[in-house]
Amino acid sequence: MTDFVLVAGVWLGAWAWDEVAADLRAAGHEVHALTLSGLAEKKEQPAGQQIHVQDIVDEVERLDLRDVVLVGHSYSGVPVGQAAERIGDRLRRVVFVDSNLPADGVSFLDGFPSEHIRAALTEHDGVWPLLAPAAYANQDLTDEQIARLVGEGTPHPAATLTEPAVLKRPLAELPATYVKCVLDGRPPLPAVSEALAGGRWELVELNTGHWPMFSTPHELARILGEAAGRA
């Protein structure tokens, strides 16, 4: 039995993991889907990237979790990667699901061409607004899944995207699995390729779009279970 802590990406809360969590629990694991500050039911709470890191660390320590697999999707790979370093020997493995990676002194928006997001933050008073339904086209999602993403999402607070990450050692030293969703046809990010070359990471490809907890939840749950077994 493994303790999973699941953290979804931009705009999403714990609700995004419902189907994945159900499969993992059915397999005998303990699952803790976490909503980060400033999102979903915590939307009124102050939020920043380091607050998000602490959200994750606090959840692990509050529940006194051991043998932990931290899972970060999309943006949440950034705080999850930092939290994985900080929980020490409580960590079994970290799984990055089609996610960005933290780099010391670098913000989420510094990691890729992000001028359009910065413009949106300025235009919308410090939040990244929800995507229009059309933006989810060609992502292996049903109309119902897109409606849920749009209908239940929360505009994402800017500070979480602009604050720099803080790491004390190379991320490649952590035991990790990187799940690359390959529907977009793009290769892994250069930071992912570099970490894979260190020998402690594995790459798993998933033939779906960027939101696999919706499009292929059963396959994603299987991959997470197998990743935990490799630690």
Side-chain angles (χ1 to χ4, degrees):
M1 186 272 289
T2 299
D3 284 312
F4 282 91
V5 177
L6 310 178
V7 192
V10 171
W11 308 300
L12 306 177
W15 57 269
W17 296 102
D18 287 352
E19 291 186 76
V20 173
D23 277 15
L24 290 173
R25 290 184 181 117
H29 301 293
E30 290 289 331
V31 182
H32 310 275
L34 178 63
T35 293
L36 297 173
S37 297
L39 297 164
E41 73 273 14
K42 298 180 182 177
K43 65 182 178 182
E44 302 303 328
Q45 297 182 10
Q49 188 189 120
Q50 293 308 305
I51 290 174
H52 282 178
V53 175
Q54 198 60 47
D55 285 342
I56 299 163
V57 173
D58 286 349
E59 182 78 353
V60 171
E61 293 181 347
R62 180 181 67 84
L63 298 171
D64 194 24
L65 303 180
R66 307 281 172 174
D67 202 32
V68 177
V69 175
L70 292 182
V71 180
H73 162 253
S74 192
Y75 153 78
S76 288
V78 175
V80 160
Q82 295 170 77
E85 177 182 85
R86 296 182 197 181
I87 65 172
D89 61 6
R90 294 175 184 268
L91 181 73
R92 181 177 182 84
R93 195 169 191 87
V94 58
V95 182
F96 298 100
V97 180
D98 217 40
S99 77
N100 299 74
L101 301 179
D104 187 53
V106 178
S107 76
F108 170 79
L109 291 182
D110 289 336
F112 60 97
S114 58
E115 290 77 10
H116 63 297
I117 301 174
R118 296 177 192 273
L121 296 177
T122 300
E123 182 179 352
H124 294 274
D125 298 321
V127 296
W128 190 3
L130 297 167
L131 297 179
Y136 292 97
N138 303 315
Q139 290 291 327
D140 199 24
L141 297 164
T142 66
D143 289 343
E144 291 77 11
Q145 289 165 343
I146 293 172
R148 191 176 184 206
L149 282 162
V150 174
E152 297 188 34
T154 308
H156 197 91
T160 69
L161 309 174
T162 57
E163 288 181 2
V166 179
L167 288 171
K168 295 183 178 180
R169 60 189 178 113
L171 200 65
E173 293 181 5
L174 296 172
T177 296
Y178 192 92
V179 180
K180 177 68 180 77
C181 297
V182 300
L183 192 62
D184 62 8
R186 299 173 185 169
L189 295 168
V192 176
S193 297
E194 181 179 342
L196 286 165
R200 298 206 71 188
W201 287 36
E202 67 165 350
L203 177 67
V204 178
E205 294 185 342
L206 186 54
N207 188 24
T208 192
H210 184 60
W211 289 272
M213 64 278 285
F214 293 97
S215 57
T216 56
H218 307 303
E219 181 70 4
L220 179 57
R222 181 188 63 77
I223 290 170
L224 294 181
E226 290 178 353
R230 293 190 188 97

